[in-house]
Amino acid sequence: MSIRRLLFLSLSLGLFATPFAAPAQAPKPPVSLRPFKPTALAITRAAATAQAGPRSKPLTEAWALYKAFQGSWKKGASRPSPADVAALDCLKADLEKDGVPRWFFELRAKAGKSLAVTPVLDVLDPRFAEIRETERLKALGIVHLAEHELDRAGAAHEGAEIISSLMLRTPLDFELHALYARFLLDAKRSKQALEEARYAIYLDPNPGRDALEFTAFVGLIAAKDGWVLIQAMLREAARDQGEAEAVIKEYAPRFEAK
């Protein structure tokens, strides 16, 4: 790939070249793709972990239902049981009964327009406690996306609106970025999906094989001719370089195929 083409891809993905000292066991990436530079990745991930919140029971239940319903819209896939659908509806009603806080309406007006948000990286900052207020709405957004798996009208829009709004308040939440990336893929907005997947993989304190594969998959759809950058992203973000190399080996033929 030519230097000109590499620079073009960097700019098109919203990436900026700054030096990054890669682990000795991994090839040095041509460009550091981590968000919130020049802050070190370890510091960003530590802040993301500190902001994670208490993982409330409704949020845990919402995740379980979403994962149970995921892919149920596909032809030949098993449909959720009536009991699971009833549990989803009951959880949704509980989450909606307290209404929406004022700050959410302010964020909603900005949602989806920009990721240029300055995150709180100081773990002693009192604003860390404020993000705990987002868990109920986060759970509601996940519930709406679970409804989307059931092909319920309007569910995708409602879920995406909540998720994209919350990302402006808690930009370090890798789960929100990963969820929004999946929604954007469904909406055939692949370039934006790759940007969200990039945030997700770097903010995840311990990205596993599934997260690495999802990032490679989004890259294959959004930037098939950007394989050099996708490899750099996987190697830089991975905790386990063996897993990164395994995913690169798996996806290389797909990126290189004509």
Side-chain angles (χ1 to χ4, degrees):
M1 178 183 294
S2 68
I3 297 297
R4 180 178 295 179
R5 183 58 180 161
L6 183 61
L7 177 60
F8 173 77
L9 285 169
S10 297
L11 294 174
S12 68
L13 295 176
L15 313 175
F16 299 90
T18 50
F20 178 80
Q25 65 270 32
K28 185 177 180 180
V31 59
S32 176
L33 311 180
R34 71 185 189 278
F36 308 126
K37 290 180 290 186
T39 305
L41 180 58
I43 294 175
T44 305
R45 282 177 166 169
T49 301
Q51 282 192 1
R55 201 71 171 190
S56 63
K57 182 179 178 181
L59 181 59
T60 301
E61 186 178 351
W63 271 120
L65 289 167
Y66 173 74
K67 291 175 181 177
F69 292 1
Q70 201 168 4
S72 58
W73 55 269
K74 297 178 181 177
K75 185 178 181 180
S78 59
R79 301 290 289 178
S81 68
D84 284 342
V85 174
L88 180 72
D89 291 335
C90 182
L91 177 60
K92 179 182 176 182
D94 286 342
L95 293 170
E96 289 181 330
K97 67 182 180 182
D98 291 330
V100 177
R102 181 184 302 173
W103 55 257
F104 177 76
F105 292 103
E106 297 173 358
L107 293 178
R108 189 172 66 179
K110 306 174 185 177
K113 295 180 180 179
S114 173
L115 279 176
V117 178
T118 302
V120 177
L121 297 174
D122 181 0
V123 296
L124 299 179
D125 193 303
R127 287 176 292 175
F128 265 63
E130 295 178 5
I131 68 99
R132 304 293 169 84
E133 300 174 19
T134 66
E135 285 213 341
R136 179 174 64 87
L137 287 178
K138 180 177 177 180
L140 182 58
I142 295 169
V143 164
H144 281 305
L145 293 181
E147 290 185 299
H148 174 52
E149 298 293 323
L150 300 176
D151 279 336
R152 288 184 173 177
H157 174 77
E158 292 292 334
E161 185 175 69
I162 291 175
I163 297 302
S164 60
S165 298
L166 290 183
M167 285 193 301
L168 297 176
R169 187 175 177 89
T170 55
L172 299 178
D173 190 330
F174 75 93
E175 292 178 331
L176 292 179
H177 289 291
L179 272 175
Y180 198 46
R182 293 180 184 278
F183 167 79
L184 291 168
L185 273 186
D186 285 348
K188 302 190 184 306
R189 293 159 63 184
S190 59
K191 294 293 184 183
Q192 290 176 270
L194 180 56
E195 181 71 350
E196 294 296 341
R198 180 175 75 93
Y199 273 73
I201 197 70
Y202 279 108
L203 294 174
D204 188 341
N206 190 28
R209 178 68 180 263
D210 287 347
L212 294 169
E213 288 185 352
F214 177 68
T215 305
F217 175 72
V218 179
L220 182 64
I221 296 173
K224 190 173 185 293
D225 55 352
W227 181 221
V228 172
L229 289 175
I230 301 301
Q231 291 178 76
M233 187 187 306
L234 296 174
R235 289 184 174 121
E236 188 179 21
R239 287 283 194 180
D240 185 332
Q241 285 300 313
E243 287 188 337
E245 295 304 325
V247 172
I248 289 170
K249 182 178 180 180
E250 176 186 347
Y251 273 82
R254 306 182 195 184
F255 275 91
E256 295 165 2
K258 300 298 183 182

